[in-house]
């Protein structure tokens, strides 16, 4: 290899030498009235009616254009929204450099007066008609700038997006990968020759691959010769736009695209491209089920880029239909195929930031702002400390003490806005995304809310409520107002056994009696470990939930209302591990009061604690001892003590959380230390496994280790495959050679048909990262088998069971199911 380096280097220098002495036109492009530089224009040298060289003007309006040979040229400068600027002919000698200061043509291009014919014919090439030619010329300028930007040494931070929808387009799941910095265009189409030969939809193995056009494809002679064009009226709600539509001239066997370039009439700027695929296997005609979209944005240096894009792809099943009857003597008929659209999948991305080769940041113009207030309907006050995300973790903000938030620098478009907070986690509610449309350069407002407690608890009934039924939900408190777990609640409306619903309270003392008859007089009976209570005349409305709390006042006592607040300084609580498991046998001492010991469920109760700041000591034989300062409220409250590091408020009913530091090994992994593993471990949220814990697993599989983590469920997975049947495709299930699992949360799942895996449970799949790279999201089909990573190469594992536990850098829009972080030794 060494023998070839010097000849190649000499060849490169010899090729570069003439360029250093090439004939060049240098200059600046300025406003004639003010002398201000004009960035983002394109300077072109023309000879014989053809463009031979070009360059974009920089921030200072300067340009450098190198001619291929000596000769006479006309320098033309074009910018969006204005007429062409041309100079007198320029004579360039060999190796000569000519300086020119070009004053811009100030004549505006008028698109407002262009009318769209209702029955306009689709004509070959976009420049065939006067109105159409004007619209195409302005769109072409932006496309040309985007093509030029692709060739520049910009570095883009791009956020990748995945979205799953039902056949009607309702969003089921969103996944967002961490933003990554890359050099080169953020969006590049496959080579034009490949599109011409194979079309825009290809079969690769057992999958369909959808290709999208970029600026280079749209500007090519091949695309314009094989498509016809027509003007199109503005879409509904956007009267300021005019469209240049296109469609294939010939309908062959290969897939093509038809769509519209939308241009702003006032500014002549290209806003977006919308298109649909033709000849989609399993779909008739052209449908939005197979479509795409690109948003164009101008950088503050005047160049244009594809700032946001998305491709929507259908999931189609082909089913064999047998004839109802066979006619005697007739030849057997071939089984017919019936196609069924089972879902939609959308993949795309957006540009978060742009950096030049020198490291300076280039801003996207026309960014939007979203602001609003998050309200806590349970507490009747603003929700402070909530994390609001707009389309994923790339655009986020935290609410202040008044519940206000503001997210800036968002590209215009359609987004899902959601929030997470410890308050929502505490009541077991996962906020849903709210759709919002952001306009270019405008600010919008969107209010968000944690709903009332009855709504939160009622949602736990899911689809169990039917027509003519409702639900009764609430909290059962035992002696001293402590939530009564395992209490039995019976709702009856008749004498028969079929005329009643019986449920049990969960670990938080909450019960849900679903599908009880609406309008009937219900009798409620709650039975705890020591007491019972009977209530009558409880009624619900159809499809509604009624909140009915129950207080078991003590042995032999009955109460029809929640217990009144206890004496000042009365405290109850529970001691848990960092994994959320109760700790039995721990001693808790408040100030000078006698120590109390936790029971089998980790619970304790302290009476007579004086209000104000108290010293609290928590001690456990294996977890160690820790002393902290705690403010005892003037009224009854609850305290949660967790083993682990750090401190913080976890739930609405928790006045303060006291953390108990566990015993740590003396040795520390350097790779884990660099990744912040031990810093997060000290905070006390989540489950942490080091090499010492992992070495105890004999199977060598990561999933076998995760089985032991509380809150984690392993789901056996069968990968889907697509089998070709003539010109159709049928999706079938097959068992992979290797045993494969997906990581899910035990927080809950819903029964019924999964649109992506028919006749299966819809599990709550966790986000999984290996060394910061996401390998599993909400879609098991697009996720990877983590057992392909050998356990012996793993240095540590972190498991977070909800958004409030998850570190902010891994907390996205749809991380409600939890996050698993796997770190390797390398």
């Amino acid at each position: 290899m060494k023998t070839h380096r010097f000849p190649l280097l000499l060849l490169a220098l010899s090729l570069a030498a003439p360029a250093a002495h090439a004939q060049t036109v240098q200059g600046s492009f300025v406003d004639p009235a003010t002398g201000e530089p004009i960035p983002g224009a394109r300077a072109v040298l023309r000879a014989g009616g053809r463009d031979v060289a070009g360059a974009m003007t920089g921030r200072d309006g300067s340009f450098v254009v190198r001619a291929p040979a000596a000769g006479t040229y006309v320098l033309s400068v074009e910018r969006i929204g204005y007429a062409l600027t041309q100079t007198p002919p320029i004579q360039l000698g060999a190796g000569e450099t000519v300086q020119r200061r070009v004053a811009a043509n100030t004549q505006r291009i008028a698109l407002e007066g262009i009318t769209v014919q209702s029955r306009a014919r689709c004509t070959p090439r976009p420049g065939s008609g006067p109105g159409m030619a004007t619209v195409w010329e302005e769109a072409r300028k932006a496309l040309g700038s985007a093509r030029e930007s692709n060739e520049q040494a910009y570095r883009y931070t791009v956020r990748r997006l995945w979205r799953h929808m039902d056949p009607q387009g309702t969003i089921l799941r969103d996944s967002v990968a961490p933003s990554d910095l890359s050099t080169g265009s953020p969006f590049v189409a496959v080579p034009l020759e490949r599109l011409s030969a194979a079309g825009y939809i290809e079969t690769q193995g057992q999958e369909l691959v959808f290709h999208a056009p970029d600026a280079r494809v749209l500007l090519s002679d091949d695309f314009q010769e094989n498509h016809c064009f027509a003007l199109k009226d503005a879409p509904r709600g956007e009267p300021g736009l005019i469209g240049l539509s296109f469609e294939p001239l010939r309908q062959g066997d290969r897939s093509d695209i038809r769509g519209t370039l939308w241009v702003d009439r006032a500014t002549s700027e290209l806003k977006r491209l919308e298109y649909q695929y033709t000849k989609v296997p399993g779909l008739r005609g052209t449908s939005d089920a197979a479509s795409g979209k690109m948003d164009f944005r101008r950088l503050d240096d005047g160049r244009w880029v594809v700032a946001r894009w998305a491709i929507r792809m259908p999931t189609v099943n082909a089913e064999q239909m047998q004839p109802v009857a066979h006619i005697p003597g007739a030849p057997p008929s071939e089984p017919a195929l019936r196609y069924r659209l089972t879902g939609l999948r959308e993949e795309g991305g957006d540009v978060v930031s742009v950096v030049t080769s020198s490291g300076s940041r280039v801003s996207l113009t026309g960014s939007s702002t979203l602001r609003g207030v998050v309200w806590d309907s349970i507490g009747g006050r603003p929700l402070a400390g909530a994390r609001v995300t707009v389309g994923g973790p790339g655009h986020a903000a935290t609410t202040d003490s008044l519940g206000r938030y503001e997210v800036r620098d968002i590209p215009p478009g359609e987004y899902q806005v959601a929030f997470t907070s410890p308050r929502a986690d505490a009541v077991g509610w996962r906020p849903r995304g709210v759709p919002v449309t952001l306009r270019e350069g405008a600010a919008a407002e969107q209010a968000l809310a944690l709903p009332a407690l009855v709504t939160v608890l009622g949602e736990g009934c899911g689809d169990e409520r039917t027509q003519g039924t409702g639900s009764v939900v609430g909290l059962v408190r035992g002696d001293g107002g402590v939530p009564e777990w395992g209490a039995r609640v019976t709702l009856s409306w008749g004498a028969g056994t079929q005329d009643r619903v019986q449920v049990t309270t969960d670990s938080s003392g909450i019960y849900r009696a679903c599908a009880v008859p609406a309008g009937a007089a219900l009798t409620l009976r709650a039975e705890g470990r020591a007491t019972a209570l009977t209530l009558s005349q409880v009624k619900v409305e159809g499809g509604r939930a009624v909140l009915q709390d129950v207080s078991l006042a003590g042995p032999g006592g009955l109460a029809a209302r929640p217990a009144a607040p206890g004496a000042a300084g009365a405290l109850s609580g529970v001691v848990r591990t960092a994994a959320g498991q109760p700790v039995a046998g721990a001693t808790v001492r408040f100030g000078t009061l006698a120590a109390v010991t936790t029971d089998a469920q980790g619970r304790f109760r302290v009476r007579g604690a004086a209000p104000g700041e108290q010293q609290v000591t928590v001690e456990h034989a294996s977890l160690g001892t820790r002393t902290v300062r705690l403010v005892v409220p003037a009224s009854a409250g609850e305290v949660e003590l967790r083993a682990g590091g750090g401190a913080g408020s976890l739930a609405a009913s928790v006045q303060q959380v006291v953390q108990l530091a566990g015993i740590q090994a003396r040795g520390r992994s350097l790779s884990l230390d660099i990744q912040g593993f031990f810093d997060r471990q000290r905070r006390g949220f989540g489950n942490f496994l080091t090499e010492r814990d992992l070495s105890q697993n004999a199977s060598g599989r990561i999933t076998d280790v995760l089985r032991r983590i509380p809150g984690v469920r392993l789901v056996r997975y069968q990968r889907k495959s697509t089998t070709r049947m003539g010109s159709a495709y049928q999706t079938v299930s097959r068992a992979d050679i290797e045993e494969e699992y997906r990581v899910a949360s035990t927080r809950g799942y819903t029964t019924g048909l999964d649109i992506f895996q028919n006749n299966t449970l819809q599990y709550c799949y966790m986000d999984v990262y290996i060394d910061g790279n996401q390998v599993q999201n909400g879609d098991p089909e697009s996720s990877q088998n983590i057992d392909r990573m050998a356990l012996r190469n793993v240095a540590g594992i972190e498991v977070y069971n909800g958004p409030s536990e998850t570190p902010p850098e891994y907390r996205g829009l749809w991380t409600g199911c939890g996050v698993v972080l796997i770190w390797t030794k390398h």
Side-chain angles (χ1 to χ4, degrees):
M1 294 295 294
K2 293 183 179 179
T3 58
H4 294 285
R5 283 186 180 173
F6 295 107
L8 287 176
L9 179 60
L10 292 175
L11 176 61
L13 291 175
S14 65
L15 292 176
H21 302 285
Q23 40 285 331
T24 304
V25 178
Q26 298 180 355
S28 60
F29 188 53
V30 298
D31 186 293
T34 64
E36 292 293 323
I38 301 176
R42 188 168 186 265
V44 179
L45 286 179
R46 291 178 176 173
R50 296 180 57 190
D51 296 350
V52 296
M56 302 294 294
T57 61
R59 292 177 185 269
D60 57 356
S62 64
F63 60 87
V64 177
V65 187
R66 293 183 173 87
T72 302
Y73 298 92
V74 173
L75 176 64
S76 301
V77 186
E78 59 183 23
R79 60 169 171 160
I80 295 174
Y82 291 86
L84 184 68
T85 301
Q86 287 187 324
T87 67
I90 299 174
Q91 184 67 39
L92 275 178
E96 183 183 5
T97 297
V98 175
Q99 299 283 343
R100 286 291 186 273
R101 185 176 187 271
V102 182
N105 189 336
T106 58
Q107 180 183 350
R108 296 297 301 262
I109 299 295
L111 299 184
E112 288 90 342
I114 298 177
T115 58
V116 178
Q117 301 293 329
S118 58
R119 295 184 178 180
R121 293 182 57 189
C122 188
T123 58
R125 302 199 70 89
S128 56
M132 188 191 308
T134 304
V135 176
W136 165 247
E137 185 65 16
E138 298 309 301
R140 182 197 59 78
K141 294 176 184 177
L143 291 172
S145 178
R147 181 182 58 187
E148 295 273 351
S149 300
N150 290 352
E151 300 169 357
Q152 298 298 314
Y154 285 148
R155 289 184 297 162
Y156 300 87
T157 301
V158 179
R159 185 181 52 169
R160 303 292 177 178
L161 308 157
W162 294 268
R163 176 172 290 173
H164 299 280
M165 295 164 281
D166 64 14
Q168 288 73 42
T170 302
I171 297 174
L172 303 176
R173 290 191 295 270
D174 270 4
S175 300
V176 181
S179 302
D180 62 317
L181 193 66
S182 60
T183 302
S185 173
F187 178 85
V188 179
V190 299
L192 183 61
E193 298 77 13
R194 182 173 168 183
L195 291 176
S196 300
Y200 286 79
I201 302 178
E202 282 189 279
T203 303
Q204 292 185 0
Q206 297 176 334
E207 296 182 351
L208 295 179
V209 179
F210 291 71
H211 298 303
D214 62 1
R216 175 179 48 84
V217 170
L218 297 172
L219 291 171
S220 67
D221 290 336
D222 182 87
F223 185 86
Q224 295 175 35
E225 290 172 359
N226 290 284
H227 292 77
C228 64
F229 297 80
L231 292 179
K232 188 174 182 179
D233 275 324
R236 181 176 298 179
E238 297 180 277
L241 299 183
I242 184 171
L244 181 64
S245 65
F246 58 86
E247 62 182 55
L249 276 173
R250 293 172 291 276
Q251 295 291 341
D253 294 332
R254 64 183 181 88
S255 175
D256 210 313
I257 58 171
R258 61 188 306 170
T260 305
L261 290 160
W262 293 106
V263 180
D264 190 295
R265 284 182 178 268
T267 64
S268 300
E269 293 182 345
L270 176 62
K271 294 302 182 182
R272 65 180 182 269
L273 163 67
E274 297 173 344
Y275 61 93
Q276 298 84 37
Y277 292 90
T278 64
K279 299 290 184 180
V280 182
L283 291 182
R284 295 181 178 178
T286 305
S287 168
D288 285 337
S291 59
K293 180 180 177 181
M294 279 183 250
D295 292 338
F296 292 85
R297 297 278 303 284
R298 182 168 54 85
L299 304 176
D300 62 3
D301 65 358
R303 298 180 186 270
W304 287 75
V305 295
V306 177
R308 203 168 192 232
W309 65 93
I311 301 177
R312 179 173 294 186
M313 298 159 284
T315 302
V316 180
N317 280 3
E319 303 171 345
Q320 289 188 352
M321 302 296 295
Q322 296 295 338
V324 177
H326 177 65
I327 301 175
S333 58
E334 291 291 331
L337 289 177
R338 181 181 67 180
Y339 297 100
R340 183 166 62 91
L341 180 65
T342 59
L344 302 172
R345 176 186 174 91
E346 192 170 280
E347 294 187 14
D350 57 39
V351 176
V352 178
S353 65
V354 184
V355 179
T356 65
S357 57
S358 62
S360 59
R361 185 184 177 97
V362 184
S363 300
L364 293 164
T365 61
S367 296
S368 305
T369 300
L370 183 68
R371 60 174 66 98
V373 175
V374 182
W375 185 257
D376 179 5
S377 301
I378 297 176
R381 58 179 180 269
L383 185 59
R387 181 175 172 82
V388 180
T389 55
V390 184
H395 306 292
T398 302
T399 58
D400 60 16
S401 59
L402 299 178
R404 299 173 301 192
Y405 72 89
E406 182 173 282
V407 186
R408 301 179 180 178
D409 297 327
I410 311 171
E414 298 177 354
Y415 294 90
Q416 290 281 316
V417 185
F419 71 92
T420 58
S421 73
R423 175 74 157 167
D425 286 353
V427 296
W429 187 70
R430 180 181 175 184
R432 296 174 176 82
V434 177
V436 63
T437 300
L438 300 180
R439 304 297 182 188
E440 182 177 352
E445 293 192 5
Q446 179 62 57
L448 304 170
L450 176 65
L453 186 59
V454 62
T455 304
V456 172
L457 299 181
E459 287 183 354
C461 287
D463 297 331
E464 295 183 49
R465 286 178 293 184
T466 59
Q467 187 174 6
T469 66
S471 57
V472 180
V473 298
L475 176 66
V476 177
R477 296 182 183 272
D479 186 24
V482 178
E484 185 87 359
W485 66 275
R488 185 169 58 187
V489 178
T490 305
L491 281 154
S492 57
W493 54 91
T497 56
Q498 73 277 6
D499 297 332
R500 65 180 183 180
V501 172
Q502 190 173 86
V503 294
T504 304
T505 59
D506 60 18
S507 59
S508 301
I510 293 173
Y511 74 92
R512 294 178 178 86
C514 307
V516 298
L522 306 173
T523 299
L524 182 149
R525 180 172 177 80
E527 300 173 76
R529 288 186 292 273
T531 58
L533 170 69
T534 300
L535 299 174
S536 60
Q537 301 302 317
V538 178
K539 289 187 177 182
V540 299
E541 299 179 20
R544 301 288 297 276
V546 171
L547 181 65
Q548 180 62 62
D549 291 342
V550 179
S551 178
L552 306 175
L558 300 178
R561 291 176 297 180
L571 287 169
S572 60
V574 61
V575 176
R576 300 183 186 275
T577 66
Q581 298 299 308
V583 177
T587 59
V588 182
R589 186 190 304 273
F590 281 72
T592 59
L593 297 178
V596 294
T597 304
T598 58
D599 61 14
Q601 286 75 43
R603 296 179 176 177
F604 67 89
R605 179 166 177 78
V606 178
R607 300 180 183 273
E613 190 176 66
Q614 293 283 347
Q615 179 173 287
V616 183
T617 301
V618 184
E619 184 176 358
H620 191 270
S622 60
L623 295 176
T625 303
R626 175 130 185 236
T627 300
V628 297
R629 306 295 297 184
L630 171 68
V631 177
V632 176
S635 59
E638 295 179 2
V639 175
E640 186 171 86
L641 311 173
R642 277 183 179 249
S649 181
L650 293 184
S653 62
V654 176
Q655 301 299 325
Q656 183 169 338
V657 177
V658 181
Q659 303 290 339
L660 178 61
I663 300 175
Q664 296 183 354
R666 294 181 180 179
R668 289 167 64 99
S669 166
L670 179 60
S671 62
L672 294 181
D673 208 359
I674 293 174
Q675 299 293 352
F677 180 95
F678 298 107
D679 290 336
R680 291 188 291 271
Q681 188 179 34
R682 282 193 295 270
R683 298 172 190 167
F685 303 108
N687 297 271
F688 295 82
L689 300 176
T690 60
E691 285 187 66
R692 181 178 179 182
D693 306 305
L694 302 176
S695 63
Q696 301 174 7
N697 184 273
S699 71
R701 293 168 60 92
I702 294 177
T703 52
D704 288 340
V705 173
L706 294 177
R707 291 181 195 277
R708 306 198 305 265
I709 304 297
V712 174
R713 176 196 307 272
L714 274 300
V715 180
R716 181 78 165 90
Y717 176 69
Q718 283 190 339
R719 187 174 292 277
K720 294 270 188 175
S721 65
T722 306
T723 303
R724 183 159 186 164
M725 303 176 59
S727 60
Y729 294 83
Q730 182 178 17
T731 302
V732 297
S733 295
R734 61 181 175 84
D736 282 338
I737 298 176
E738 58 184 349
E739 191 177 44
E740 195 165 343
Y741 291 90
R742 296 291 182 262
V743 186
S745 171
T746 59
R747 287 194 165 206
Y749 55 85
T750 58
T751 58
L753 295 180
D754 190 331
I755 198 168
F756 302 107
Q757 299 188 49
N758 292 339
N759 301 317
T760 63
L761 294 175
Q762 296 180 11
Y763 291 100
C764 192
Y765 291 103
M766 305 175 79
D767 291 341
V768 182
Y769 296 83
I770 296 181
D771 289 341
N773 300 305
Q774 190 169 18
V775 297
Q776 178 182 306
N777 53 32
D779 178 19
E781 183 72 17
S782 63
S783 301
Q784 301 181 35
N785 182 8
I786 62 175
D787 280 326
R788 292 178 180 173
M789 168 68 67
L791 185 60
R792 65 177 179 273
N793 295 327
V794 177
I797 298 178
E798 306 172 45
V799 180
Y800 301 95
N801 291 322
S804 64
E805 295 183 1
T806 303
E809 58 267 31
Y810 295 98
R811 191 188 306 156
L813 178 62
W814 300 106
T815 52
C817 298
V819 174
V820 178
L821 306 180
I822 302 172
W823 303 104
T824 66
K825 298 176 182 179
H826 310 294

